[in-house]
Amino acid sequence: RLNIFQNFKEMNPRDKFFAISGSLILLAIFFIGIQKTDSKSDFQDYYKASELFRNHQDIYQLDILKSLKESIKTEDVFKMENLLKLESIKNSVGTYIYPPTFAFLLLSISGFSYPNASLIFYLVNFLALLFSLYMIFQKIYPRKKYLVFFVAILLNFRFLENHSYNNQVAFLLLLLILYSISTKNDLVSGILLSLAIVIKLTPAIFFLYLLFKKDFKRIFYTGFFLVAWIFLPFIFGIDYNWEQLKNWSDMVLGNFMQNPEFRAWKNNQSLIATLAKYFLANGDPINQAEF
């Protein structure tokens, strides 16, 4: 098996330079992120949603969003007092946009204090990044592996640093996707890819990859376990979880384009959301006029 540090003494000076430099960049990213685990980050949205889930409260807080919609008319959204209202809630309400399953899965750590839960989540995420890099590393042509490793880390530094700093879930998704498309076990592949999809919808694009490969068995397993993951939180209460699933559907799937000024503020990591922020009226009333 290929390993960055395998036979380190036998490596030529150039490969040693690339291996050490890439590793130092990763180490810097790790320490940048770990110093912020007790501060406000994207994980705070996940943590708060899981706490609300534990207490059988609306994890999407649609009641607050609906009351704002009723109190602020679209034509008045640019009035200073209304802008201040939107500004005051934009980082605390409607920021959790993931399916209820993710909040349910985080019950395993949301019982800890926020700093401890954030630290655990960060360590799991960073380990997922390291395992992902190891899997990618094994696919690289041996003579170029250290150069590619260094260049990949260097060119993606901003992405890696930003996700580490904000304690987001992307590294975990990366590992789930990589392992699901690499393993020869169809069952394991379906379980992991469906888990990635139920955490964030974006990995559903790999259905097209499986369709292109005509891997219908994996498509079946992924679809089957996707339904299973969606309904897993129902063990916490059927009526409550039906309501949460409906709220998620209404907020993320149903009303996104219909009510852009009251959409989830942080749903900006997809093409449709990015276009809406720039070109859809009131898609981002605070920044749209400037940019």
Side-chain angles (χ1 to χ4, degrees), residues 57-107:
Q57 298 175 10
D58 181 13
I59 61 179
Y60 302 104
Q61 298 179 286
L62 288 188
D63 53 340
I64 300 177
L65 294 176
K66 289 177 180 177
S67 65
L68 273 174
K69 182 179 177 181
E70 293 172 357
S71 64
I72 302 177
K73 296 180 180 180
T74 303
E75 59 269 21
D76 297 331
V77 74
F78 286 102
K79 289 184 177 180
M80 182 55 64
E81 63 270 20
N82 292 333
L83 286 176
L84 291 175
K85 285 183 182 179
L86 292 173
E87 181 71 22
S88 67
I89 68 152
K90 74 174 186 177
N91 290 319
S92 59
V93 176
T95 55
Y96 180 79
I97 59 174
Y98 304 94
T101 301
F102 189 33
F104 170 77
L105 294 175
L106 288 176
L107 289 175

Coordinates of all heavy atoms in Angstrom, one line a residue, residues 57-107:
Q57 N -38.8 20.3 19.7 CA -39.2 21.6 19.2 C -38.8 21.7 17.7 O -38.1 20.9 17.2 CB -38.4 22.7 20.0 CG -38.8 22.7 21.5 CD -37.9 23.7 22.3 OE1 -37.2 24.5 21.7 NE2 -38.0 23.7 23.6
D58 N -39.4 22.7 17.1 CA -39.2 22.8 15.6 C -37.7 23.2 15.4 O -37.3 24.3 15.7 CB -40.1 23.9 15.1 CG -40.0 24.1 13.6 OD1 -39.3 23.2 12.9 OD2 -40.5 25.1 13.0
I59 N -37.0 22.3 14.7 CA -35.6 22.5 14.5 C -35.4 23.6 13.4 O -34.3 24.1 13.2 CB -34.8 21.2 14.1 CG1 -35.4 20.6 12.8 CG2 -34.9 20.2 15.2 CD1 -34.7 19.3 12.4
Y60 N -36.4 23.9 12.6 CA -36.3 24.9 11.5 C -36.9 26.2 11.9 O -36.7 27.2 11.2 CB -37.0 24.4 10.3 CG -36.5 23.1 9.8 CD1 -37.2 21.9 10.0 CD2 -35.2 23.0 9.2 CE1 -36.6 20.7 9.6 CE2 -34.7 21.8 8.8 CZ -35.4 20.6 9.0 OH -34.9 19.4 8.6
Q61 N -37.6 26.3 13.1 CA -38.1 27.5 13.6 C -38.9 28.3 12.6 O -38.8 29.5 12.4 CB -37.0 28.4 14.2 CG -36.2 27.7 15.3 CD -35.1 28.5 15.9 OE1 -34.0 28.7 15.2 NE2 -35.3 29.1 17.0
L62 N -39.8 27.6 11.9 CA -40.6 28.2 10.8 C -41.6 29.2 11.4 O -42.0 30.1 10.7 CB -41.3 27.1 10.0 CG -40.4 26.3 9.1 CD1 -41.3 25.4 8.2 CD2 -39.6 27.2 8.2
D63 N -42.0 29.0 12.7 CA -43.0 29.9 13.3 C -42.4 31.3 13.3 O -43.2 32.3 13.1 CB -43.4 29.4 14.7 CG -42.2 29.2 15.6 OD1 -41.1 29.0 15.0 OD2 -42.3 29.2 16.8
I64 N -41.1 31.5 13.6 CA -40.5 32.8 13.7 C -40.4 33.4 12.2 O -40.7 34.5 12.0 CB -39.1 32.7 14.3 CG1 -39.2 32.2 15.7 CG2 -38.4 34.1 14.3 CD1 -37.9 32.0 16.4
L65 N -40.0 32.5 11.3 CA -39.9 33.0 9.9 C -41.3 33.4 9.4 O -41.4 34.4 8.7 CB -39.3 31.9 9.0 CG -37.9 31.5 9.3 CD1 -37.5 30.3 8.4 CD2 -37.0 32.7 9.1
K66 N -42.3 32.6 9.7 CA -43.7 33.0 9.2 C -44.2 34.3 9.9 O -44.8 35.1 9.2 CB -44.6 31.8 9.5 CG -44.4 30.6 8.7 CD -45.3 29.5 9.1 CE -45.1 28.2 8.2 NZ -45.9 27.1 8.6
S67 N -43.9 34.5 11.1 CA -44.3 35.7 11.8 C -43.6 36.9 11.2 O -44.2 38.0 11.0 CB -44.0 35.7 13.3 OG -42.7 35.6 13.5
L68 N -42.4 36.8 10.8 CA -41.7 37.8 10.1 C -42.3 38.1 8.7 O -42.4 39.3 8.3 CB -40.2 37.5 10.0 CG -39.3 37.8 11.1 CD1 -37.9 37.3 10.9 CD2 -39.2 39.3 11.3
K69 N -42.6 37.1 8.0 CA -43.2 37.2 6.7 C -44.5 38.0 6.8 O -44.8 38.8 5.9 CB -43.4 35.9 6.1 CG -44.0 35.9 4.7 CD -44.1 34.6 4.1 CE -44.8 34.6 2.7 NZ -45.0 33.3 2.1
E70 N -45.3 37.7 7.8 CA -46.5 38.4 8.0 C -46.4 39.8 8.4 O -47.2 40.7 8.1 CB -47.4 37.6 9.0 CG -47.8 36.2 8.6 CD -48.5 35.4 9.7 OE1 -48.5 36.0 10.8 OE2 -48.9 34.3 9.4
S71 N -45.3 40.1 9.1 CA -45.1 41.5 9.7 C -44.4 42.4 8.7 O -44.4 43.6 8.8 CB -44.4 41.4 11.0 OG -43.1 40.9 10.8
I72 N -43.6 41.8 7.7 CA -42.9 42.6 6.8 C -43.4 42.4 5.4 O -43.3 41.2 4.9 CB -41.4 42.3 6.9 CG1 -40.8 42.5 8.3 CG2 -40.6 43.1 5.9 CD1 -39.4 42.1 8.5
K73 N -43.9 43.4 4.7 CA -44.3 43.3 3.4 C -43.1 43.3 2.4 O -42.1 44.0 2.8 CB -45.3 44.4 3.0 CG -46.6 44.3 3.8 CD -47.5 45.5 3.4 CE -48.8 45.4 4.2 NZ -49.7 46.5 3.8
T74 N -43.2 42.7 1.3 CA -42.0 42.6 0.4 C -41.6 44.0 0.0 O -40.4 44.3 -0.1 CB -42.4 41.8 -0.9 OG1 -42.8 40.5 -0.5 CG2 -41.2 41.7 -1.8
E75 N -42.5 44.9 -0.3 CA -42.1 46.3 -0.7 C -41.5 47.1 0.4 O -40.9 48.1 0.1 CB -43.4 47.0 -1.3 CG -44.5 47.2 -0.3 CD -45.5 46.0 -0.4 OE1 -45.1 44.9 -0.8 OE2 -46.6 46.2 0.1
D76 N -41.6 46.6 1.6 CA -41.0 47.3 2.8 C -39.8 46.7 3.3 O -39.2 47.1 4.3 CB -42.1 47.4 3.9 CG -43.3 48.2 3.5 OD1 -43.2 49.1 2.7 OD2 -44.4 47.9 4.1
V77 N -39.3 45.7 2.6 CA -38.2 44.9 3.1 C -36.9 45.8 3.2 O -36.0 45.5 4.0 CB -37.9 43.7 2.2 CG1 -37.2 44.1 0.9 CG2 -37.1 42.7 3.0
F78 N -36.8 46.9 2.4 CA -35.6 47.7 2.4 C -35.6 48.8 3.5 O -34.7 49.6 3.6 CB -35.3 48.2 1.0 CG -34.8 47.2 0.1 CD1 -35.6 46.6 -0.9 CD2 -33.4 46.8 0.2 CE1 -35.1 45.7 -1.7 CE2 -33.0 45.8 -0.7 CZ -33.8 45.3 -1.7
K79 N -36.7 48.9 4.2 CA -36.8 49.9 5.2 C -35.8 49.6 6.3 O -35.6 48.4 6.7 CB -38.2 50.0 5.8 CG -39.2 50.6 4.8 CD -40.6 50.8 5.5 CE -41.6 51.5 4.5 NZ -42.9 51.6 5.1
M80 N -35.2 50.6 6.9 CA -34.1 50.3 7.9 C -34.5 49.4 9.0 O -33.8 48.5 9.4 CB -33.6 51.7 8.4 CG -32.4 51.5 9.4 SD -31.0 50.6 8.6 CE -30.6 51.7 7.3
E81 N -35.7 49.7 9.6 CA -36.1 48.9 10.7 C -36.3 47.4 10.4 O -36.1 46.5 11.2 CB -37.4 49.4 11.4 CG -38.7 49.4 10.4 CD -38.8 50.7 9.6 OE1 -37.8 51.4 9.5 OE2 -39.9 51.0 9.2
N82 N -36.8 47.2 9.1 CA -37.0 45.8 8.7 C -35.7 45.1 8.3 O -35.5 43.9 8.6 CB -37.9 45.8 7.5 CG -39.3 46.2 7.9 OD1 -39.8 46.0 9.0 ND2 -40.1 46.7 6.9
L83 N -34.8 45.9 7.8 CA -33.4 45.3 7.5 C -32.7 45.0 8.8 O -32.0 43.9 8.9 CB -32.6 46.4 6.7 CG -32.9 46.6 5.3 CD1 -32.1 47.7 4.7 CD2 -32.7 45.3 4.5
L84 N -32.9 45.8 9.8 CA -32.3 45.4 11.1 C -32.9 44.2 11.7 O -32.2 43.4 12.3 CB -32.5 46.6 12.1 CG -31.7 47.9 11.8 CD1 -32.1 49.0 12.7 CD2 -30.2 47.6 11.8
K85 N -34.2 44.0 11.5 CA -34.9 42.7 12.0 C -34.3 41.5 11.3 O -34.0 40.5 11.9 CB -36.4 42.8 11.7 CG -37.2 43.7 12.6 CD -38.7 43.6 12.3 CE -39.5 44.5 13.2 NZ -40.9 44.4 12.8
L86 N -34.2 41.6 10.0 CA -33.6 40.5 9.2 C -32.1 40.3 9.6 O -31.7 39.1 9.7 CB -33.7 40.8 7.7 CG -35.1 40.8 7.1 CD1 -35.1 41.3 5.7 CD2 -35.8 39.5 7.2
E87 N -31.4 41.3 9.8 CA -30.0 41.2 10.2 C -29.9 40.5 11.5 O -29.0 39.7 11.8 CB -29.3 42.6 10.2 CG -27.9 42.6 10.6 CD -27.0 42.0 9.5 OE1 -27.4 42.0 8.3 OE2 -25.9 41.5 9.8
S88 N -30.8 40.8 12.5 CA -30.7 40.3 13.8 C -31.0 38.8 13.9 O -30.5 38.1 14.8 CB -31.7 41.0 14.7 OG -33.0 40.7 14.4
I89 N -31.7 38.3 12.9 CA -32.1 36.8 13.0 C -31.3 36.0 11.9 O -31.4 34.8 12.0 CB -33.6 36.6 12.8 CG1 -34.0 37.0 11.3 CG2 -34.4 37.4 13.8 CD1 -35.1 36.2 10.8
K90 N -30.6 36.6 11.0 CA -30.1 35.9 9.9 C -29.1 34.8 10.3 O -28.9 33.8 9.6 CB -29.5 36.8 8.8 CG -28.1 37.4 9.2 CD -27.5 38.2 8.0 CE -26.1 38.6 8.3 NZ -25.5 39.3 7.1
N91 N -28.4 35.0 11.4 CA -27.4 34.0 11.9 C -28.0 33.1 13.0 O -27.2 32.4 13.6 CB -26.1 34.7 12.3 CG -25.4 35.2 11.2 OD1 -25.3 34.6 10.1 ND2 -24.9 36.5 11.3
S92 N -29.3 33.2 13.3 CA -29.8 32.4 14.4 C -31.1 31.7 14.0 O -31.4 30.7 14.7 CB -30.1 33.3 15.6 OG -31.0 34.3 15.3
V93 N -31.8 32.1 13.0 CA -33.1 31.5 12.6 C -33.0 31.1 11.2 O -32.5 31.8 10.3 CB -34.2 32.5 12.8 CG1 -35.5 31.9 12.3 CG2 -34.4 32.8 14.3
G94 N -33.5 29.9 10.9 CA -33.5 29.4 9.5 C -32.1 29.0 8.9 O -32.0 28.9 7.7
T95 N -31.2 28.9 9.8 CA -29.8 28.5 9.4 C -29.6 27.0 9.2 O -28.6 26.6 8.6 CB -28.8 29.1 10.3 OG1 -29.0 28.6 11.6 CG2 -28.8 30.6 10.3
Y96 N -30.4 26.2 9.9 CA -30.3 24.8 9.7 C -31.2 24.4 8.6 O -32.4 24.5 8.6 CB -30.7 24.1 11.0 CG -30.6 22.6 10.9 CD1 -29.4 21.9 11.0 CD2 -31.7 21.8 10.7 CE1 -29.3 20.5 10.9 CE2 -31.6 20.4 10.5 CZ -30.4 19.8 10.7 OH -30.3 18.4 10.5
I97 N -30.5 23.9 7.5 CA -31.3 23.6 6.3 C -31.2 22.1 5.9 O -31.6 21.7 4.8 CB -30.8 24.4 5.1 CG1 -29.3 24.1 4.9 CG2 -31.0 25.9 5.4 CD1 -28.7 24.8 3.7
Y98 N -30.7 21.3 6.8 CA -30.5 19.8 6.5 C -31.7 19.0 6.9 O -32.5 19.5 7.7 CB -29.2 19.3 7.2 CG -28.0 20.1 6.8 CD1 -27.5 21.2 7.6 CD2 -27.2 19.8 5.7 CE1 -26.4 21.9 7.3 CE2 -26.1 20.5 5.4 CZ -25.7 21.6 6.2 OH -24.6 22.3 5.8
P99 N -31.8 17.8 6.4 CA -33.0 17.0 6.8 C -32.9 16.6 8.3 O -31.8 16.7 8.9 CB -32.8 15.7 5.9 CG -32.0 16.2 4.7 CD -31.1 17.2 5.2
P100 N -34.0 16.3 8.9 CA -34.1 16.0 10.3 C -33.1 14.9 10.8 O -32.7 14.9 11.9 CB -35.5 15.6 10.6 CG -36.3 16.2 9.5 CD -35.4 16.2 8.3
T101 N -32.8 14.0 9.9 CA -31.9 12.8 10.2 C -30.5 13.3 10.8 O -30.0 12.7 11.7 CB -31.7 11.9 9.0 OG1 -32.9 11.4 8.5 CG2 -30.8 10.7 9.4
F102 N -30.0 14.4 10.2 CA -28.7 14.9 10.6 C -28.8 15.4 12.1 O -27.9 15.1 12.9 CB -28.2 16.0 9.7 CG -26.8 16.4 10.0 CD1 -25.8 15.5 10.4 CD2 -26.4 17.8 9.8 CE1 -24.5 15.9 10.6 CE2 -25.1 18.2 10.0 CZ -24.2 17.3 10.4
A103 N -29.8 16.1 12.4 CA -30.0 16.5 13.8 C -30.2 15.4 14.7 O -29.7 15.4 15.9 CB -31.2 17.5 13.9
F104 N -30.9 14.3 14.3 CA -31.1 13.1 15.0 C -29.8 12.4 15.3 O -29.5 12.0 16.5 CB -32.0 12.2 14.3 CG -32.1 10.8 14.9 CD1 -32.9 10.6 16.1 CD2 -31.5 9.7 14.3 CE1 -33.0 9.3 16.6 CE2 -31.6 8.5 14.9 CZ -32.3 8.2 16.0
L105 N -28.9 12.3 14.3 CA -27.6 11.6 14.5 C -26.7 12.4 15.4 O -25.9 11.8 16.1 CB -27.0 11.4 13.1 CG -27.7 10.5 12.1 CD1 -27.0 10.5 10.7 CD2 -27.7 9.1 12.6
L106 N -26.9 13.7 15.5 CA -26.0 14.5 16.3 C -26.4 14.4 17.8 O -25.8 15.0 18.6 CB -26.0 15.9 15.8 CG -25.2 16.2 14.6 CD1 -25.4 17.6 14.1 CD2 -23.7 15.8 14.7
L107 N -27.5 13.7 18.1 CA -27.9 13.6 19.5 C -26.8 12.9 20.3 O -26.7 13.0 21.5 CB -29.2 12.7 19.5 CG -30.5 13.4 19.1 CD1 -31.7 12.4 19.1 CD2 -30.8 14.6 20.0

